[in-house]
CSV table of all heavy atoms in Angstrom, one decimal:
chain,number,residue,atom,x,y,z
N,1,VAL,N,-1.5,-12.3,6.8
N,1,VAL,CA,-2.8,-11.8,7.1
N,1,VAL,C,-2.7,-10.5,7.8
N,1,VAL,O,-2.5,-10.3,9.0
N,1,VAL,CB,-3.5,-12.8,8.1
N,1,VAL,CG1,-4.9,-12.4,8.4
N,1,VAL,CG2,-3.5,-14.2,7.4
N,2,ALA,N,-2.8,-9.4,7.0
N,2,ALA,CA,-2.7,-8.0,7.4
N,2,ALA,C,-3.4,-7.3,6.3
N,2,ALA,O,-4.0,-7.9,5.4
N,2,ALA,CB,-1.3,-7.6,7.6
N,3,ASN,N,-3.4,-5.9,6.4
N,3,ASN,CA,-4.0,-5.2,5.3
N,3,ASN,C,-3.4,-3.8,5.2
N,3,ASN,O,-3.0,-3.2,6.2
N,3,ASN,CB,-5.5,-5.1,5.5
N,3,ASN,CG,-5.9,-4.3,6.7
N,3,ASN,OD1,-6.0,-3.0,6.6
N,3,ASN,ND2,-6.2,-4.9,7.8
N,4,TYR,N,-3.3,-3.3,3.9
N,4,TYR,CA,-3.0,-1.9,3.6
N,4,TYR,C,-4.3,-1.2,3.4
N,4,TYR,O,-5.4,-1.8,3.3
N,4,TYR,CB,-2.2,-1.9,2.3
N,4,TYR,CG,-0.7,-2.1,2.4
N,4,TYR,CD1,0.1,-2.4,1.3
N,4,TYR,CD2,0.0,-2.0,3.6
N,4,TYR,CE1,1.4,-2.5,1.4
N,4,TYR,CE2,1.4,-2.1,3.7
N,4,TYR,CZ,2.1,-2.4,2.6
N,4,TYR,OH,3.4,-2.6,2.6
N,5,GLY,N,-4.2,0.1,3.4
N,5,GLY,CA,-5.3,1.0,3.2
N,5,GLY,C,-5.0,2.4,2.8
N,5,GLY,O,-3.8,2.7,2.5
N,6,PRO,N,-6.0,3.3,2.7
N,6,PRO,CA,-5.7,4.6,2.3
N,6,PRO,C,-5.1,5.5,3.5
N,6,PRO,O,-5.8,6.3,4.1
N,6,PRO,CB,-7.1,5.1,1.9
N,6,PRO,CG,-8.0,4.3,2.8
N,6,PRO,CD,-7.4,3.0,2.9
N,7,HIS,N,-3.9,5.2,3.8
N,7,HIS,CA,-3.2,5.8,5.0
N,7,HIS,C,-1.9,6.4,4.5
N,7,HIS,O,-1.3,6.0,3.5
N,7,HIS,CB,-3.0,4.7,6.1
N,7,HIS,CG,-4.2,3.9,6.4
N,7,HIS,ND1,-5.3,4.4,6.9
N,7,HIS,CD2,-4.4,2.6,6.2
N,7,HIS,CE1,-6.2,3.4,7.1
N,7,HIS,NE2,-5.6,2.3,6.6
N,8,PHE,N,-1.4,7.3,5.3
N,8,PHE,CA,-0.1,8.0,5.0
N,8,PHE,C,1.0,7.0,5.1
N,8,PHE,O,1.1,6.2,6.0
N,8,PHE,CB,0.1,9.1,5.9
N,8,PHE,CG,1.4,9.9,5.6
N,8,PHE,CD1,1.4,10.9,4.6
N,8,PHE,CD2,2.6,9.5,6.2
N,8,PHE,CE1,2.6,11.5,4.3
N,8,PHE,CE2,3.8,10.2,5.9
N,8,PHE,CZ,3.8,11.2,4.9
N,9,SER,N,1.9,7.0,4.1
N,9,SER,CA,3.0,6.1,4.1
N,9,SER,C,4.2,6.9,3.6
N,9,SER,O,4.3,7.3,2.4
N,9,SER,CB,2.8,4.9,3.1
N,9,SER,OG,4.0,4.2,2.8
N,10,ALA,N,5.2,7.0,4.4
N,10,ALA,CA,6.4,7.7,4.0
N,10,ALA,C,7.1,7.0,2.9
N,10,ALA,O,7.6,7.6,2.0
N,10,ALA,CB,7.4,7.9,5.2
N,11,GLU,N,7.1,5.7,2.9
N,11,GLU,CA,7.8,4.9,1.9
N,11,GLU,C,7.1,5.1,0.5
N,11,GLU,O,7.8,5.3,-0.5
N,11,GLU,CB,7.9,3.4,2.3
N,11,GLU,CG,8.8,3.2,3.5
N,11,GLU,CD,9.0,1.7,3.8
N,11,GLU,OE1,8.9,0.9,2.9
N,11,GLU,OE2,9.2,1.4,5.0
N,12,ILE,N,5.8,4.9,0.5
N,12,ILE,CA,5.1,5.1,-0.7
N,12,ILE,C,5.2,6.5,-1.3
N,12,ILE,O,5.5,6.7,-2.5
N,12,ILE,CB,3.6,4.8,-0.5
N,12,ILE,CG1,3.3,3.4,0.0
N,12,ILE,CG2,2.8,5.1,-1.8
N,12,ILE,CD1,3.7,2.3,-1.0
N,13,GLN,N,5.2,7.5,-0.4
N,13,GLN,CA,5.3,8.9,-0.8
N,13,GLN,C,6.7,9.2,-1.4
N,13,GLN,O,6.9,9.9,-2.4
N,13,GLN,CB,5.0,9.8,0.3
N,13,GLN,CG,3.5,9.9,0.7
N,13,GLN,CD,2.6,10.6,-0.3
N,13,GLN,OE1,3.2,11.3,-1.2
N,13,GLN,NE2,1.4,10.4,-0.2
N,14,LEU,N,7.7,8.6,-0.8
N,14,LEU,CA,9.1,8.8,-1.3
N,14,LEU,C,9.3,8.2,-2.6
N,14,LEU,O,10.0,8.7,-3.5
N,14,LEU,CB,10.1,8.3,-0.2
N,14,LEU,CG,10.2,9.1,1.0
N,14,LEU,CD1,11.0,8.4,2.1
N,14,LEU,CD2,11.0,10.5,0.7
N,15,PHE,N,8.7,7.0,-2.8
N,15,PHE,CA,8.9,6.3,-4.1
N,15,PHE,C,8.1,7.2,-5.2
N,15,PHE,O,8.6,7.3,-6.3
N,15,PHE,CB,8.3,4.9,-4.1
N,15,PHE,CG,9.1,3.9,-3.4
N,15,PHE,CD1,8.5,3.0,-2.5
N,15,PHE,CD2,10.5,3.9,-3.6
N,15,PHE,CE1,9.3,2.1,-1.8
N,15,PHE,CE2,11.3,2.9,-2.9
N,15,PHE,CZ,10.7,2.0,-2.0
N,16,ALA,N,7.0,7.7,-4.9
N,16,ALA,CA,6.2,8.5,-5.8
N,16,ALA,C,6.9,9.8,-6.1
N,16,ALA,O,6.9,10.3,-7.3
N,16,ALA,CB,4.8,8.8,-5.3
N,17,ALA,N,7.6,10.4,-5.1
N,17,ALA,CA,8.3,11.6,-5.3
N,17,ALA,C,9.5,11.4,-6.3
N,17,ALA,O,9.9,12.4,-6.9
N,17,ALA,CB,8.9,12.1,-4.0
N,18,LYS,N,9.9,10.2,-6.5
N,18,LYS,CA,11.0,9.9,-7.5
N,18,LYS,C,10.4,9.6,-8.9
N,18,LYS,O,11.2,9.2,-9.8
N,18,LYS,CB,11.8,8.7,-7.0
N,18,LYS,CG,12.7,9.0,-5.9
N,18,LYS,CD,13.9,9.9,-6.3
N,18,LYS,CE,14.9,9.0,-7.2
N,18,LYS,NZ,16.0,9.8,-7.7
N,19,GLY,N,9.1,9.9,-9.0
N,19,GLY,CA,8.5,9.7,-10.4
N,19,GLY,C,7.9,8.4,-10.7
N,19,GLY,O,7.6,8.1,-11.8
N,20,ASN,N,7.7,7.6,-9.7
N,20,ASN,CA,7.1,6.2,-9.9
N,20,ASN,C,5.6,6.3,-9.6
N,20,ASN,O,5.1,7.0,-8.7
N,20,ASN,CB,7.7,5.2,-8.9
N,20,ASN,CG,9.2,5.1,-9.0
N,20,ASN,OD1,9.7,4.6,-10.0
N,20,ASN,ND2,10.0,5.6,-8.0
N,21,VAL,N,4.9,5.5,-10.3
N,21,VAL,CA,3.5,5.1,-9.9
N,21,VAL,C,3.7,3.9,-9.0
N,21,VAL,O,4.4,3.0,-9.3
N,21,VAL,CB,2.6,4.8,-11.2
N,21,VAL,CG1,1.3,4.2,-10.7
N,21,VAL,CG2,2.4,6.0,-12.0
N,22,VAL,N,3.0,4.0,-7.9
N,22,VAL,CA,3.1,2.9,-6.9
N,22,VAL,C,1.8,2.2,-6.7
N,22,VAL,O,0.8,2.9,-6.5
N,22,VAL,CB,3.6,3.4,-5.5
N,22,VAL,CG1,3.9,2.2,-4.6
N,22,VAL,CG2,4.9,4.2,-5.7
N,23,LEU,N,1.8,0.9,-6.8
N,23,LEU,CA,0.6,0.1,-6.7
N,23,LEU,C,0.7,-0.8,-5.4
N,23,LEU,O,1.7,-1.5,-5.3
N,23,LEU,CB,0.3,-0.8,-7.9
N,23,LEU,CG,-0.8,-1.9,-7.8
N,23,LEU,CD1,-2.2,-1.2,-7.6
N,23,LEU,CD2,-0.7,-2.8,-8.9
N,24,TYR,N,-0.3,-0.6,-4.5
N,24,TYR,CA,-0.3,-1.6,-3.4
N,24,TYR,C,-1.7,-2.1,-3.2
N,24,TYR,O,-2.7,-1.4,-3.5
N,24,TYR,CB,0.2,-0.9,-2.1
N,24,TYR,CG,-0.5,0.3,-1.6
N,24,TYR,CD1,-1.5,0.2,-0.6
N,24,TYR,CD2,-0.2,1.6,-1.9
N,24,TYR,CE1,-2.2,1.3,-0.1
N,24,TYR,CE2,-0.8,2.7,-1.4
N,24,TYR,CZ,-1.8,2.5,-0.5
N,24,TYR,OH,-2.4,3.6,0.0
N,25,MET,N,-1.8,-3.4,-2.8
N,25,MET,CA,-3.0,-4.1,-2.9
N,25,MET,C,-3.2,-5.0,-1.6
N,25,MET,O,-2.3,-5.2,-0.9
N,25,MET,CB,-3.0,-5.0,-4.1
N,25,MET,CG,-2.8,-4.3,-5.4
N,25,MET,SD,-2.6,-5.4,-6.8
N,25,MET,CE,-4.3,-6.1,-6.9
N,26,ASN,N,-4.4,-5.5,-1.5
N,26,ASN,CA,-4.7,-6.5,-0.5
N,26,ASN,C,-5.2,-7.8,-1.2
N,26,ASN,O,-6.3,-8.0,-1.4
N,26,ASN,CB,-5.8,-6.0,0.5
N,26,ASN,CG,-5.4,-4.9,1.4
N,26,ASN,OD1,-4.2,-4.9,1.8
N,26,ASN,ND2,-6.3,-4.1,1.9
N,27,PRO,N,-4.2,-8.6,-1.5
N,27,PRO,CA,-4.5,-9.9,-2.2
N,27,PRO,C,-5.2,-10.8,-1.3
N,27,PRO,O,-5.3,-10.6,-0.1
N,27,PRO,CB,-3.2,-10.4,-2.7
N,27,PRO,CG,-2.2,-9.8,-1.7
N,27,PRO,CD,-2.7,-8.5,-1.3
N,28,ARG,N,-5.7,-11.9,-1.8
N,28,ARG,CA,-6.4,-12.9,-1.0
N,28,ARG,C,-5.5,-13.3,0.2
N,28,ARG,O,-4.3,-13.4,0.0
N,28,ARG,CB,-6.8,-14.1,-1.8
N,28,ARG,CG,-5.7,-15.0,-2.3
N,28,ARG,CD,-6.1,-16.0,-3.3
N,28,ARG,NE,-6.6,-15.4,-4.5
N,28,ARG,CZ,-7.7,-15.8,-5.3
N,28,ARG,NH1,-8.2,-17.0,-4.9
N,28,ARG,NH2,-8.1,-15.2,-6.3
N,29,GLY,N,-6.1,-13.5,1.3
N,29,GLY,CA,-5.3,-13.8,2.5
N,29,GLY,C,-5.2,-12.6,3.4
N,29,GLY,O,-4.9,-12.7,4.6
N,30,SER,N,-5.4,-11.4,2.9
N,30,SER,CA,-5.5,-10.2,3.7
N,30,SER,C,-6.7,-10.2,4.6
N,30,SER,O,-7.7,-10.8,4.3
N,30,SER,CB,-5.5,-8.9,2.8
N,30,SER,OG,-4.5,-8.9,1.9
N,31,ASP,N,-6.6,-9.6,5.8
N,31,ASP,CA,-7.7,-9.5,6.6
N,31,ASP,C,-8.5,-8.2,6.3
N,31,ASP,O,-8.1,-7.5,5.4
N,31,ASP,CB,-7.4,-9.5,8.1
N,31,ASP,CG,-6.4,-8.5,8.5
N,31,ASP,OD1,-6.1,-7.6,7.7
N,31,ASP,OD2,-6.0,-8.5,9.7
N,32,SER,N,-9.6,-8.0,7.0
N,32,SER,CA,-10.5,-6.9,6.8
N,32,SER,C,-11.6,-7.1,5.7
N,32,SER,O,-12.3,-6.2,5.4
N,32,SER,CB,-9.8,-5.5,6.6
N,32,SER,OG,-9.3,-5.3,5.2
N,33,TYR,N,-11.6,-8.3,5.2
N,33,TYR,CA,-12.6,-8.7,4.1
N,33,TYR,C,-13.4,-9.9,4.5
N,33,TYR,O,-14.1,-10.5,3.7
N,33,TYR,CB,-11.9,-9.0,2.8
N,33,TYR,CG,-11.1,-7.8,2.3
N,33,TYR,CD1,-9.8,-7.6,2.6
N,33,TYR,CD2,-11.7,-6.8,1.5
N,33,TYR,CE1,-9.0,-6.5,2.2
N,33,TYR,CE2,-11.0,-5.7,1.1
N,33,TYR,CZ,-9.6,-5.6,1.5
N,33,TYR,OH,-8.9,-4.5,1.0
N,34,GLY,N,-13.3,-10.3,5.8
N,34,GLY,CA,-14.0,-11.5,6.2
N,34,GLY,C,-13.2,-12.7,6.3
N,34,GLY,O,-12.1,-12.8,5.8
């Protein structure tokens, strides 16, 4: 029960810099949706 969002992420940026498309999501069970 946590959530990701449109925030700076060194890890995401480093993976993308290596040529990857990175997908991150808030599946059911995440908070911030009620």
Side-chain angles (χ1 to χ4, degrees):
V1 182
N3 67 84
Y4 276 164
H7 313 295
F8 183 85
S9 165
E11 295 185 28
I12 298 297
Q13 290 289 343
L14 286 167
F15 287 136
K18 286 286 290 178
N20 303 290
V21 172
V22 185
L23 171 65
Y24 60 94
M25 306 172 66
N26 286 333
R28 68 189 67 214
S30 304
D31 59 5
S32 79
Y33 301 90

